[in-house]
Amino acid sequence: MRYVDSHTEGEPTRVIVDGGPDLGDGSMQDRIERLARDYDHVRRTVILEPRGSNALVGALLVAPTRGDCAAGVLFFNNTGYLGMCGHGTIGVAVTLARMGTIEPGVSRIETPVGVVSVNLVDANTVTVENVASYRYRSNVTVEVPDLGPVTGDIAWGGNWFFLAKDTPYPINLDNERQLTDAALKVQRALREQGITGRDAGDIDHIEFFSGALAADANSRNFVLCPGGAYDRSPCGTGTSAKIACLADAGTLAPDTDWVQESVIGSRFVARYSLGPKGEIIPSITGRAFVCAEGSLVQQPGDPFAEGIG
Ligand code: PYC
């Protein structure tokens, strides 16, 4: 398999540009289900050590079903599959531009949760217009062992998020272990207490927030991804979920910038517009940089040819 690696504001993406499995026809949802059912070894080979890492998100390029889309993409990580990935879409756009598949300006990309658009502003800067996002429930309290009651919102930004009102520790890299452990406890408690997104959607991403460190940013976040790694970027779908909560609360007007800092200090600039039925359509702007390209190799006899774990 040929790949291109990039990072988006610090968070890595590995795009499989050639040699991936043939998933046939059907919707992106059908194809990601086929990938999970019949080709999970591909996910493990691409993502897990020794070729990848827990922080890595994989993106398999597939032919789009719609004539108005430049590509289809299926996202996956160390634990499973993602409906959408904001930082990953920015990485995909920069990769497609490097391959000559898209040009500066707006292109559309099909994902299992809907069509998103990417505006390639320059070789590294991309604005993703995400799927419609919404706050599903506000002020939900979950009892978390060792932490006590944790209150927050449940929102959809292309994945399901619990956005805790307070952070248990200051959001900086020195506290990465404690923040990860606390977020894992919240994730586990939500599952054990049957607290879900709409249609029993699993809340697999947890966000903590604090004030920003930079004077020109609005907020700083720590985002736990489903497989236990933290997002080095401010998380595109997580920032979309945050924007949806702010819009629903009436604290952020349409077409107003919201600067979201990550735990490593990188940032996305987010805003939203209202769709024809009043839906909140977030846009996320960030930068991705290609950092490697090559082939994944499996030698005969390698006990870890399909990854460790
Ligand atoms: O940027 O949406 C995102 C994302 C999800 C998981 C890791 N990054």
Side-chain angles (χ1 to χ4, degrees):
M1 279 180 283
R2 300 274 314 158
Y3 69 87
V4 177
D5 281 359
S6 59
H7 74 86
T8 303
E9 304 297 349
E11 179 75 351
T13 307
R14 175 165 290 166
V15 183
I16 301 301
V17 297
D18 195 22
D22 178 1
L23 300 172
D25 297 329
S27 68
M28 292 297 131
Q29 188 57 39
D30 290 343
R31 286 189 234 177
I32 204 164
E33 283 169 15
R34 201 166 301 141
L35 181 63
R37 190 183 61 235
D38 301 335
Y39 299 98
D40 196 53
H41 57 280
V42 171
R43 176 187 66 78
R44 297 197 308 270
T45 303
V46 171
I47 295 293
L48 300 183
E49 293 180 6
R51 293 175 195 78
S53 80
N54 283 352
L56 187 60
V57 168
L60 176 64
L61 294 181
V62 296
T65 64
R66 297 166 49 129
D68 62 350
C69 289
V73 64
L74 308 176
F75 291 109
F76 45 91
N77 63 12
N78 58 334
T79 193
Y81 297 83
L82 293 164
M84 168 53 192
C85 180
H87 93 267
T89 304
I90 294 172
V92 166
V94 164
T95 298
L96 290 174
R98 185 177 172 87
M99 292 162 59
T101 306
I102 63 170
E103 306 213 317
V106 178
S107 307
R108 287 153 75 86
I109 295 181
E110 222 175 336
T111 79
V113 296
V115 174
V116 298
S117 76
V118 290
N119 183 7
L120 186 67
V121 179
D122 61 38
N124 301 106
T125 309
V126 176
T127 299
V128 178
E129 191 182 87
N130 197 3
V131 294
S133 301
Y134 59 95
R135 178 156 71 168
Y136 174 55
R137 290 177 65 192
S138 58
N139 284 318
V140 176
T141 298
V142 56
E143 273 304 321
V144 183
D146 304 328
L147 295 180
V150 176
T151 299
D153 292 346
I154 298 171
W156 173 256
N159 296 298
W160 281 109
F161 287 82
F162 184 83
L163 301 92
K165 281 206 183 321
D166 301 308
T167 180
Y169 303 97
I171 299 182
N172 59 56
L173 273 184
D174 289 345
N175 290 331
E176 181 264 307
R177 198 60 258 162
Q178 293 95 314
L179 287 161
T180 298
D181 288 346
L184 282 167
K185 285 177 184 165
V186 175
Q187 186 194 55
R188 197 172 311 124
L190 289 165
R191 286 178 176 149
E192 283 172 4
Q193 291 166 43
I195 300 172
T196 68
R198 183 171 283 166
D199 299 327
D202 181 40
I203 303 171
D204 51 6
H205 292 72
I206 310 298
E207 286 193 75
F208 297 133
F209 293 92
S210 71
L213 293 191
D216 61 347
N218 296 96
S219 161
R220 190 172 181 93
N221 70 7
F222 174 89
V223 184
L224 178 80
C225 298
Y230 71 92
D231 198 327
R232 279 69 171 158
S233 83
C235 189
T237 51
T239 300
S240 298
K242 175 71 177 175
I243 290 290
C245 293
L246 293 167
D248 195 43
T251 47
L252 186 71
D255 304 318
T256 307
D257 282 352
W258 176 267
V259 180
Q260 186 66 59
E261 262 178 10
S262 73
V263 62
I264 68 165
S266 59
R267 54 173 63 190
F268 284 153
V269 179
R271 46 173 47 216
Y272 71 95
S273 59
L274 291 175
K277 296 182 190 140
E279 319 89 289
I280 296 154
I281 315 283
S283 300
I284 307 290
T285 301
R287 297 160 310 157
F289 296 86
V290 169
C291 46
E293 50 192 352
S295 302
L296 298 177
V297 174
Q298 290 176 310
Q299 286 199 311
D302 180 354
F304 301 118
E306 292 184 357
I308 302 171

